[in-house]
């Protein structure tokens, strides 16, 4: 690494999560309250990160303090604006975001879609609270800082349990284990081993697909983003069109359906979705399967999600409608 690169800053933005959680008892890894410890306190306790601070190369900012199950459009908007702000600073090398694991994949996909950064933006997290006997947060932060500092790194990625996942592929797949994320068929982008990166694939590249209006209205601090009303419905044994009908009555603008298998739908649910589509609601078909993607067939009336999981397809549809 050149001395020029070494003088650049790493920004750590705090948003809450288990990584900032506190339990009443050190052995308790599930009965804690998320989003209690400030990002400053959290990262200053980690040796390698404190060294960055001592060298004047660390900036921290508490953007939010939430349990990520409660993630909101307001937090997303603020987070996109702050990331946008720091990405534009010449002396910033990369950004780390501490985040809860529960909706991390949605935030990662959202930030990649609207910002498509040419610098690294690394979301990290923990499965155990900060008060645990052996918390996983400090190592994850240290690994995330290594990724954010890596020459040539770019795009939004997630770092957890020594693996780097792209925003496109990352999914939380375990309720409890420390290695809670997977990139499915694609596999991880790489691994962090004692501060060094072993890359398996290329860094995420920018796609000009998402509407520039959405990017502008979210990231530009002068604009007030309007979030379209998009919901997710699921196919299952005995599914009906009742939920779709109720959502139509509520003025839903977009629907993502988590179909079974290759996006298959119960005939009653399909009929309701086609009716919604005819009424002007955008409908997208994803799959509830963890791996694979919906393979389109000639004559499909409902477009597929282009490999996106239902929650990410919802974000993509909101951005599409916003644009
Ligand atoms: C959260 O998502 O904020 C709580 C759960 C976690 O971070 O593991």
């Amino acid at each position: 690494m050149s001395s020029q690169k070494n003088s650049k800053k790493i920004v750590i933005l705090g948003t809450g999560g288990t990584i900032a959680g506190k339990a009443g008892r050190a052995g308790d890894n599930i009965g804690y309250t998320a989003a209690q410890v400030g990002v400053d306190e959290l990262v200053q306790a980690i040796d390698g990160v404190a060294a960055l601070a001592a060298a004047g190369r660390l900036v921290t900012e508490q953007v939010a303090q939430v349990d990520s199950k409660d993630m909101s459009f307001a937090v997303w908007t603020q987070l996109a604006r702050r990331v946008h702000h720091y990405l534009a600073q010449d002396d910033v090398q990369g950004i780390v975001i501490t985040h809860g694991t529960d909706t991390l994949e949605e935030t990662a996909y959202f930030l990649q879609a609207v910002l498509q950064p040419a610098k690294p933006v690394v979301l990290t997290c923990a499965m155990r609270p900060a008060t645990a006997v052996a918390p996983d947060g400090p190592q994850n932060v240290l690994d995330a800082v290594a990724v954010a500092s890596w020459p040539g790194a770019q795009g939004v990625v997630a770092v957890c349990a020594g693996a780097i996942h792209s925003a496109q592929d990352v999914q939380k797949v375990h309720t409890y284990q420390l290695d809670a994320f997977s990139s499915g068929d694609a596999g991880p982008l790489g691994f962090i081993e004692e501060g060094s990166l072993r890359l398996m694939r290329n860094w995420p590249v920018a796609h000009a697909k998402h509407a520039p209006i959405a990017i502008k209205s979210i990231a530009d601090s002068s604009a007030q983003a309007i979030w379209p009303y998009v919901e997710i419905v699921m196919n299952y044994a005995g599914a009906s069109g009742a939920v779709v009908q109720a959502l139509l009555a509520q003025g839903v603008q977009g629907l993502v359906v988590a179909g079974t298998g290759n996006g298959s739908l119960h005939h009653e649910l399909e009929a309701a979705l086609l009716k919604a589509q005819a009424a002007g609601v955008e409908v997208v078909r994803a799959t509830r399967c963890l791996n694979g993607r919906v393979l389109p067939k000639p004559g499909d009336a409902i477009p597929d999600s282009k490999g996106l999981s239902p929650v990410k397809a919802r974000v993509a549809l909101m951005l599409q409608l916003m644009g």
Side-chain angles (χ1 to χ4, degrees), residues 246-270:
L247 290 169
L248 264 180
Q250 292 294 312
V252 77
Q253 294 165 275
L255 286 168
V256 173
V257 58
T260 29
N262 190 27
S264 62
L265 301 171
H266 187 289
H267 65 92
E268 285 187 30
L269 176 59
E270 184 169 26

Side-chain angles (χ1 to χ4, degrees), residues 209-278:
K209 178 174 149 271
H210 285 289
I213 296 168
I215 296 162
K216 240 189 144 357
S217 72
I218 294 164
D220 183 344
S221 57
S222 64
Q224 198 56 31
I226 310 290
W227 293 83
Y229 179 24
V230 179
E231 292 283 357
I232 299 173
V233 294
M234 189 185 265
N235 195 50
Y236 39 80
S240 75
V243 174
V244 172
Q245 281 147 19
L247 290 169
L248 264 180
Q250 292 294 312
V252 77
Q253 294 165 275
L255 286 168
V256 173
V257 58
T260 29
N262 190 27
S264 62
L265 301 171
H266 187 289
H267 65 92
E268 285 187 30
L269 176 59
E270 184 169 26
L273 289 167
L274 290 173
K275 214 164 155 188
Q277 201 181 40

Side-chain angles (χ1 to χ4, degrees), residues 17-18 32 67-68 100-102 126:
T18 292
Y32 59 87
D67 184 321
S68 83
T101 58
D102 286 348

Side-chain angles (χ1 to χ4, degrees), residues 91-114:
D91 65 344
V92 168
Q93 169 99 22
I95 299 173
V96 171
I97 301 170
T98 57
H99 197 290
T101 58
D102 286 348
T103 57
L104 182 145
E105 67 213 59
E106 291 169 64
T107 301
Y109 180 81
F110 162 68
L111 291 176
Q112 175 65 21
V114 298

Side-chain angles (χ1 to χ4, degrees), residues 69-241:
K69 72 179 174 57
D70 297 323
M71 187 48 67
S72 66
F73 298 142
V75 171
W76 270 5
T77 303
Q78 181 62 8
L79 184 60
R81 287 176 180 169
R82 296 314 289 157
V83 173
H84 188 242
H85 164 81
Y86 286 114
L87 286 171
Q89 314 293 313
D90 284 341
D91 65 344
V92 168
Q93 169 99 22
I95 299 173
V96 171
I97 301 170
T98 57
H99 197 290
T101 58
D102 286 348
T103 57
L104 182 145
E105 67 213 59
E106 291 169 64
T107 301
Y109 180 81
F110 162 68
L111 291 176
Q112 175 65 21
V114 298
L115 297 172
Q116 309 207 11
K119 293 179 184 178
V121 175
V122 188
L123 281 89
T124 196
C125 55
M127 290 296 285
R128 291 181 182 158
T131 48
V133 173
D136 51 329
Q139 185 64 52
N140 285 344
V141 170
L142 207 53
D143 289 348
V145 168
V147 175
S149 309
W150 199 255
Q154 67 164 47
V156 180
V157 297
V159 161
C160 183
I164 311 166
H165 302 276
S166 76
Q168 176 83 12
D169 298 309
V170 66
Q171 253 185 292
K172 184 171 178 181
V173 294
H174 206 282
T175 56
Y176 182 71
Q177 288 174 1
L178 303 190
D179 192 2
F181 289 88
S182 164
S183 289
D185 292 342
L189 208 66
F191 302 96
I192 312 112
E193 294 158 338
E194 297 299 305
S196 275
L197 267 58
R198 179 160 57 99
L199 284 180
M200 312 305 286
R201 298 194 277 127
N202 293 331
W203 295 103
V205 287
H207 294 289
K209 178 174 149 271
H210 285 289
I213 296 168
I215 296 162
K216 240 189 144 357
S217 72
I218 294 164
D220 183 344
S221 57
S222 64
Q224 198 56 31
I226 310 290
W227 293 83
Y229 179 24
V230 179
E231 292 283 357
I232 299 173
V233 294
M234 189 185 265
N235 195 50
Y236 39 80
S240 75

